[in-house]
């Protein structure tokens, strides 16, 4: 592969610039022609390192019905984004046999700023994307597996790098109305200023949802972005502000629904819910000169989070034969509050340069990531109707993270390409806890080598072999913990601060003529034995060594001028690797995910329809309780009125299926049931339903 193609690899997969910017390079590198994006997925033939990476363009996102901002993540093939509480709480994610919870093992970035929050009050790697305005997303670059030196913490299963637009061709305003009190107003536009482009956006959303207790969502997003030059050679400055509050609609026991005690959209605690606030600034500078490409970005974020949850209902003090009266009447007793107050900041820098080795063209890239999280308070409290009763634990945490990485891509001959990389990460942890025994400091380091081969027997076919080691970090509190914070005496095993993952993949990318591209990937991922910090309990919980393997297939087809079809199928097997009488299934691991999307665009009309299916899956280790599968259809229809307006209609759950967004199996207690006994009371099914059929009408005005 010539040097200019190696550089295009770096531009597409590392810079993720706009199509026009990607076409610009500097001498002596030959200039690439302008790239016209005809498809909803970027053409990576001859460029990608693996079959399971890709770039989704804004064209697909504009035709995709989006119920919530986090659904942008479902543009990643095989990834499912669901919700099990109010619309202000981060989505729950599933990919490659992982229940990713709210983001652990999947790294997410927006304009280079990491979204995953380590040592979060609710869960490690918490990924809240509600500050994202979907209409302002330009591209989503996704990677799966630990094969990329650039990707560090949380990227064992994969990563997504979301890039927002640099400028809008025309300012616009949007009003959206829908069922259950949904109201959304959005205004955005670009303006010339000081030789650059100033992009401003503002969004306001209210929504009650179909729930018996209205969720009362109130969300505000503000953003500003100033851009000079191009994405490949220029400067950007950004500012975001996000605030929301809501009433949680937590999962409820299926047995209560079956007995008629509770409706599918009912609640057992009307005071659950929360609020969050996020203010961030970021800057990015890039330059190309003399065959060298340099990128530097920096960010600083202030974040506040309060969440009141109740998953077990009536167990607090309900473990004796003589039950107190409140155990069988009145409000639910088991509410707890999770708090997070932090500032975090960081800088990322990388540089790519051409080289030649023994007559072969190469591209060498190296970089560094630095981040500091100063957490003033991360806490867990027992509460009743949002009033604090006891402090389980309350901590101050300082977390410093550093990563150094290098990667070399070498064109061995016209058909073979090799990529080798090495990453080194270090963590320095300091915890000051309300339980003195759980205070302490820790340091940990880990090295992660990577190796990939690509073989292109023709311009239409690429074959890949990938191997790599990666990791995810554990909650800092779990790395220094000594005792259970509830009694301050029971010994608790510490977690490893950094946990190893090893991945393997074989894949192919094939062009079948001008209109069809397919990929296939056969993958395997091993996770070492680890301990996981459970934010709901304030302590650690054992997790066994695991093995996940599977196959993924994708297709992007343009059968005719106005039509496009994309389809994805992911089959996974997730098992614990040790012998245990409890069983070897990994609870919540989805083993079958399939999506089909159809887009039609002709004249003023645009239509998009998507069908998403995920299969039945084990909810407990012995597979005795299983979650049901789900198939949902969403559609979008838009009509352009001249060049100044657009009418749109989005319909979610088109066929009004009685499906569930999320399902769990655990022990809980309802009024009138026997006393609760931890480890004795049986695990039963708990569900959070998908929304019923919902229609939303929008009017977009362009100025």
């Amino acid at each position: 592969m010539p040097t200019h193609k190696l550089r295009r690899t770096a531009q597409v997969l590392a810079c993720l610039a706009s199509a026009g910017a990607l076409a610009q390079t500097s001498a002596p590198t030959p200039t690439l022609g302008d790239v016209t994006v005809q498809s909803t997925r970027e053409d990576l033939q001859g460029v990608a390192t693996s079959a399971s990476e890709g770039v989704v363009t804004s064209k697909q996102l504009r035709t995709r019905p989006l119920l919530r901002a986090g659904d942008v993540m479902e543009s990643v093939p095989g990834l499912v984004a669901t919700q099990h509480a109010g619309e202000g709480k981060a989505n729950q994610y599933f990919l490659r046999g992982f229940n990713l919870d709210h983001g652990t093992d999947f790294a997410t970035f927006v304009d280079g700023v990491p979204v995953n929050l380590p040592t979060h009050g609710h869960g490690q790697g918490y990924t809240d994307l509600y500050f994202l305005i979907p209409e302002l997303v330009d591209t989503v670059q996704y990677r799966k597996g630990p094969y990329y030196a650039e990707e560090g913490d949380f990227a064992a299963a994969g990563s997504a790098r979301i890039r927002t637009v640099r400028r809008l061709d025309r300012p616009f305003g949007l009003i959206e109305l829908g069922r259950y009190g949904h109201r959304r107003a959005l205004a955005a536009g670009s303006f010339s200023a000081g030789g650059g482009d100033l992009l401003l956006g503002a969004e306001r959303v209210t929504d009650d949802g179909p729930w018996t207790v209205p969720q009362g969502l109130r969300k505000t997003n503000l953003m500003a972005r100033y851009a000079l030059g191009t994405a490949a050679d220029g400067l950007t400055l950004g500012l975001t502000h996000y605030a929301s509050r809501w009433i949680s609609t937590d999962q409820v026991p299926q047995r209560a629904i079956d007995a008629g005690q509770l409706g599918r959209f009912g609640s057992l605690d009307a005071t659950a819910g929360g609020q969050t606030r996020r203010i961030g600034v970021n800057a990015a500078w890039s330059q190309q000169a003399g065959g060298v490409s340099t990128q530097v970005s920096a960010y600083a974020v202030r974040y506040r989070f309060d969440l009141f949850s109740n998953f077990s209902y009536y167990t607090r003090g309900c473990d004796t034969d003589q039950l107190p009266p409140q155990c069988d009447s009145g409000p639910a007793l088991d509410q707890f509050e999770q708090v997070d107050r932090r500032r975090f900041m960081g800088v990322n820098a990388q540089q790519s340069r051409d080289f030649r080795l023994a007559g072969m063209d190469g591209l060498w890239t190296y970089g560094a990531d630095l981040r500091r999280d100063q957490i003033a308070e991360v806490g867990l409290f027992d509460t009743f109707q949002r009033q604090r009763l006891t402090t389980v634990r309350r901590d101050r945490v300082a977390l410093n993270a550093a990563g150094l990485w290098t990667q070399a891509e070498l064109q061995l001959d016209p058909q073979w390409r090799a990529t080798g990389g090495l990453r080194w990460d270090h963590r320095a942890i300091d915890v000051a806890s309300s339980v003195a025994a759980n205070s302490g400091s820790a340091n940990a380091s880990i090295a992660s080598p990577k190796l990939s081969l690509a073989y292109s027997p023709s311009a239409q076919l690429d074959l890949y072999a990938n191997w790599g080691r990666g990791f995810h970090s554990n909650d800092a509190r779990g790395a220094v913990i000594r005792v259970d914070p509830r009694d301050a005496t029971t010994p608790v095993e510490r977690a490893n601060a950094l946990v190893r993952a090893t991945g393997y993949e074989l894949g192919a990318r094939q062009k079948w003529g001008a209109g069809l591209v397919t990929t296939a990937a056969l993958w395997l991922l091993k996770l070492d034995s680890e301990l996981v910090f459970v934010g709901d309990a304030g302590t650690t919980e054992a997790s066994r060594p695991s093995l996940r393997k599977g196959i993924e297939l994708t297709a992007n087809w343009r059968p005719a001028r106005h039509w496009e079809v994309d389809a994805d199928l992911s089959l996974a097997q997730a098992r614990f690797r040790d012998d245990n009488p409890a069983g070897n299934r990994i609870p919540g691991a989805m083993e079958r995910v399939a999506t089909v999307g159809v887009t039609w665009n002709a004249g003023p009309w645009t239509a998009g329809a998507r069908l998403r299916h995920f299969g039945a899956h084990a909810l407990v280790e012995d597979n005795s309780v299983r979650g049901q599968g789900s198939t949902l259809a969403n559609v979008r229809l838009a009509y352009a009125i001249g060049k100044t307006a657009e009418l749109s209609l989005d319909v979610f759950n088109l066929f009004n299926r009685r499906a569930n967004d999320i399902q769990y199996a655990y022990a809980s207690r309802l009024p009138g049931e026997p006393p609760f006994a931890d480890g004795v009371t049986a695990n039963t099914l708990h569900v959070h339903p998908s929304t019923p059929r919902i229609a939303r009408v929008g009017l977009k005005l362009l100025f």
Side-chain angles (χ1 to χ4, degrees), residues 43 45 509-519 554-557:
D43 181 7
Q45 203 79 36
R509 188 183 306 267
Q510 173 78 56
K511 279 186 177 179
W512 306 85
L516 175 62
V517 179
T518 62
T519 69
T554 76
N556 188 260
W557 181 38

Side-chain angles (χ1 to χ4, degrees), residues 188-338:
S190 291
F191 311 91
S192 297
D197 294 303
L198 176 63
L199 173 64
L200 300 176
E203 178 190 44
R204 176 67 174 176
V205 179
T206 65
D207 198 320
D208 290 331
W211 320 106
T212 302
V213 178
Q215 70 174 345
L217 173 69
R218 302 293 183 267
K219 181 177 81 168
T220 300
N221 271 321
L222 303 173
M223 67 88 65
R225 190 179 191 193
Y226 182 69
L228 278 170
T230 68
D233 201 337
L235 172 71
T236 61
L237 303 172
L239 171 67
T240 60
H241 169 83
Y242 161 63
S244 71
R245 55 184 173 87
W246 70 96
I247 301 295
S248 275
T249 51
D250 294 332
Q251 65 266 17
V252 294
Q254 183 65 50
R255 64 186 187 275
I257 298 174
D258 295 340
Q261 299 172 341
L262 193 67
R264 276 175 53 79
F265 302 102
S267 173
L268 287 164
D269 191 338
T271 63
Q275 57 183 347
T276 188
R277 183 181 297 268
R278 182 187 188 277
I279 301 173
V281 295
N282 65 285
W285 172 78
S286 58
Q287 183 184 71
Q288 288 188 354
V292 177
S293 174
T294 305
Q295 300 147 42
V296 180
S297 63
Y299 57 87
V301 179
R302 181 178 180 180
Y303 176 83
R304 296 175 62 87
F305 171 89
D306 287 273
L307 180 67
F308 297 88
S309 304
N310 193 332
F311 302 136
S312 51
Y313 322 117
Y314 294 85
T315 71
R316 191 179 292 165
C318 302
D319 53 1
T320 61
D321 290 334
Q322 298 296 320
L323 296 180
Q326 59 267 33
C327 288
D328 286 326
S329 63
L333 303 172
D334 295 357
Q335 190 183 90
F336 57 93
E337 178 188 9
Q338 293 165 318

